[in-house]
């Protein structure tokens, strides 16, 4: 039997978040493996559309929401920790008082008391941002190991200073990332040893995404699906311009967009300017069940982003048998082998994206072989259970759990 910790605590800035359901899915998978899961949340998230996995975690009463503690609450928490573990607490207090981000250390004090009551063995953050800083602070109070999974924005956009991130990476007991591209980038940027970095993919539950071979009715529009937040980095404007070019070539198609964001009004106006109002449907934020049904109906999944880590939406599409058309960025070539398991194009290139869509629409038989290859790739490398067992084994090593 693979080794694993008895208890694991995720440290998150906000929860639930519709765009971060991969975290709640991972937490449920960890829970299903027999590990007790806890979640420390620094602020209330977005409850507009709550994913079933997030709701299950909320119902399990394993989520601790950190309010802004007053001085009395901080003093009370500090006294409790001191009585329970005097030497550790005094050492942590000395570090906190000297730390430039001491406010983080004190803001998590009540959460540290809660974590100790739940016998947390290991703390894990997703994203090298405030989440990692809070996990480090909690680990200091508790005297427990901590780790992080990095994705994309956190190692590209520097939500915390790169030097601060480097110090946290070096102090962490477990350093995980989601792709080989990330490994290369982090070694170069943070001067890390490759042996410190582990790759654990954001897997999916294969049973939830059954493979469906596409069928095409005569004279049916080529149905494209895009899933993602309506924000600039997702490249929706490029996608709409590509769609206009495809229609100009005489290819009948329809685009379904699932997701919400600040750009919706602007994108709707662009549809009007390009004459696409009849062939683009904005569905807004939708539950996972809606996404799954949309994947079954779609003839191709298209991702036009300028920057991504290794998006779960593409993994889900590949598992479902939905042909993939995506931009050649970051970790995506590790999922999509161009011309074999999908099509890759340069980012921010409407003409290239239009050519790929037109080719897919007019070579529908060739897509079948691509979808089969994509499904095999997901089965071999992105199975949720296997990814969870890998993470737990690494966490166990970080905590010193014996084989």
């Amino acid at each position: 039997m693979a080794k694993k910790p008895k208890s694991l605590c995720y440290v998150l800035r906000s929860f639930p978040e519709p765009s971060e359901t991969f975290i709640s899915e991972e937490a449920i998978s960890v829970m299903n493996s027999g590990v007790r899961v806890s979640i420390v949340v620094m602020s209330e998230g977005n409850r507009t559309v709550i994913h079933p996995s997030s709701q299950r975690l909320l119902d399990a009463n394993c989520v601790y929401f950190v309010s802004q503690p007053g001085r009395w609450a901080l003093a009370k928490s500090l006294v409790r920790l001191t009585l329970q573990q005097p030497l550790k607490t005094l050492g942590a207090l000395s570090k906190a008082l000297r730390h430039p981000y001491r406010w983080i250390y004190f803001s998590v004090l009540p959460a540290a008391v809660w974590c100790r009551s739940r016998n947390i063995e290991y703390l894990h953050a997703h994203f090298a941002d405030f989440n990692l800083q809070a996990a480090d602070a909690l680990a200091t109070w508790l005297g427990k190991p901590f780790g992080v999974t990095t994705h994309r924005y956190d190692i590209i956009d520097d939500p915390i200073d790169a030097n601060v991130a480097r110090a946290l990476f070096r102090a962490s007991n477990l350093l995980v990332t989601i792709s080989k591209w990330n490994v290369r980038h982090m070694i170069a940027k943070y001067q890390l040893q490759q042996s410190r970095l582990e790759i654990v993919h954001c897997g999916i539950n294969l049973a939830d995404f059954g493979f469906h071979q596409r069928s095409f009715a005569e004279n049916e529009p080529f149905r494209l699906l895009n899933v993602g937040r309506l924000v600039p980095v997702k490249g929706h404007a490029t996608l709409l311009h590509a769609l206009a070019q495809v229609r100009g070539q005489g290819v009948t198609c329809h685009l379904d967009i699932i997701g919400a964001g600040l750009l919706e009004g602007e994108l709707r106006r662009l549809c009007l300017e390009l004459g696409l109002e009849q062939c683009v449907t904005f569905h807004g934020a939708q539950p996972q069940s809606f996404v799954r049904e949309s994947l079954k109906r779609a003839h191709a999944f298209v991702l036009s982003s300028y920057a991504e880590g290794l998006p779960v939406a593409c993994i889900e599409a590949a598992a479902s048998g939905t042909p993939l058309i995506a931009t050649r960025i970051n970790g995506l070539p590790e999922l999509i082998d161009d011309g074999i398991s999908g099509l890759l194009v340069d980012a921010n290139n409407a003409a290239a994206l239009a050519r790929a869509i037109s080719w897919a629409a007019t070579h529908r038989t060739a897509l079948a072989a691509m979808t089969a290859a994509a499904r095999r790739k997901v089965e071999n490398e992105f199975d949720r259970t296997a990814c969870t067992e890998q993470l737990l084994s690494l966490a166990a090593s970080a905590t010193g759990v014996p084989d």
Side-chain angles (χ1 to χ4, degrees), residues 268-286:
R268 286 182 179 274
R269 288 191 293 273
L270 181 58
C271 281
L272 290 173
E273 293 173 11
L274 297 174
L276 299 175
E277 62 272 20
Q278 299 302 316
C279 59
V280 177
T281 302
F282 291 87
H283 295 277
Q286 294 291 338

Side-chain angles (χ1 to χ4, degrees), residues 26 29-30 199-204 378 380-394:
E26 179 182 285
S29 183
V30 169
I199 297 176
V200 179
H201 293 308
C202 291
I204 65 168
V378 174
N380 291 335
E381 299 184 25
F382 296 90
D383 174 64
R384 165 68 69 192
T385 301
C387 293
T388 297
E389 291 300 319
Q390 181 189 4
L391 177 64
L392 290 176
S393 178
L394 292 168

Side-chain angles (χ1 to χ4, degrees), residues 11 18 41 116 127 146 163 175 184 196 220 225 237 277 292 332 357 376:
V11 185
V41 182
R116 194 175 189 284
F127 301 107
F146 74 100
N163 290 323
L175 189 49
R184 295 191 295 270
R196 285 289 333 271
E220 180 184 11
L225 175 65
E277 62 272 20
R292 291 174 188 166
L332 273 163
I357 294 172
R376 288 193 298 271

Side-chain angles (χ1 to χ4, degrees), residues 22-287:
F22 58 90
I23 299 177
S24 58
E25 288 278 4
E26 179 182 285
I28 290 296
S29 183
V30 169
M31 184 183 292
N32 290 341
S33 75
V35 175
R36 188 172 65 257
V37 170
S38 303
I39 303 175
V40 167
V41 182
M42 305 308 293
S43 62
E44 184 80 16
N46 182 351
R47 292 178 179 259
T48 304
V49 177
I50 300 181
H51 190 274
S53 59
S54 299
Q55 188 61 57
R56 182 176 168 186
L57 292 167
L58 290 169
D59 293 342
N61 294 319
C62 64
V63 182
Y64 181 91
F65 288 94
V66 178
S67 59
Q68 289 298 324
R71 292 183 179 180
W72 171 246
L74 290 178
K76 184 178 178 181
S77 298
L78 185 58
V79 169
R80 289 187 64 180
L81 281 178
T82 303
L83 291 173
Q84 294 167 349
Q85 46 181 42
L87 292 180
K88 285 180 182 178
T89 303
L90 290 175
L93 179 60
S94 176
K95 178 180 177 179
L97 289 172
R98 292 180 286 107
H99 203 282
Y101 298 105
R102 62 182 65 88
W103 64 273
I104 298 178
Y105 282 78
F106 289 106
S107 67
V108 301
L109 261 171
V113 174
W114 181 79
C115 285
R116 194 175 189 284
S117 72
R118 293 177 65 86
N119 297 315
I120 299 302
E121 291 186 356
Y122 171 76
L123 298 129
H124 196 78
H126 273 274
F127 301 107
D129 54 11
F130 177 82
N131 295 359
L132 179 55
Q133 291 179 297
D136 170 56
L138 274 171
T140 300
W141 289 117
L142 296 169
K144 298 295 183 181
F146 74 100
V148 62
T149 297
T150 66
H151 294 266
R152 190 214 65 86
Y153 109 98
D154 50 333
I155 59 174
I156 300 292
D157 300 339
D158 295 333
I160 58 177
D161 183 82
N163 290 323
V164 173
R166 180 185 298 112
L168 288 169
F169 290 149
R170 291 178 174 175
S172 67
N173 302 90
L174 176 59
L175 189 49
V176 174
T177 194
I178 62 168
S179 69
K180 296 175 183 176
W181 188 97
N182 279 10
V183 168
R184 295 191 295 270
H185 177 80
M186 291 178 69
I187 289 172
K189 181 172 182 176
Y190 302 107
Q191 293 82 55
L192 300 171
Q193 296 296 320
Q194 184 167 350
S195 59
R196 285 289 333 271
L197 288 154
E198 302 284 352
I199 297 176
V200 179
H201 293 308
C202 291
I204 65 168
N205 296 317
L206 291 172
D208 293 339
F209 295 92
F211 185 85
H212 297 275
Q213 190 67 58
R214 304 300 102 165
S215 60
F216 302 93
E218 188 175 356
N219 298 322
E220 180 184 11
F222 190 63
R223 298 195 68 89
L224 297 164
L225 175 65
N226 173 277
V227 180
R229 293 173 295 127
L230 305 185
V231 295
V233 74
K234 296 298 184 179
H236 288 99
T238 299
L239 174 55
L240 294 178
H241 280 286
L243 191 64
Q245 293 182 32
V246 171
R247 292 186 71 237
Q249 297 166 8
V251 178
T252 304
C253 52
H254 187 95
L255 171 63
D256 291 291
I257 299 177
I258 300 175
L262 296 175
L263 290 185
E264 181 171 345
E266 181 179 325
L267 293 172
R268 286 182 179 274
R269 288 191 293 273
L270 181 58
C271 281
L272 290 173
E273 293 173 11
L274 297 174
L276 299 175
E277 62 272 20
Q278 299 302 316
C279 59
V280 177
T281 302
F282 291 87
H283 295 277
Q286 294 291 338

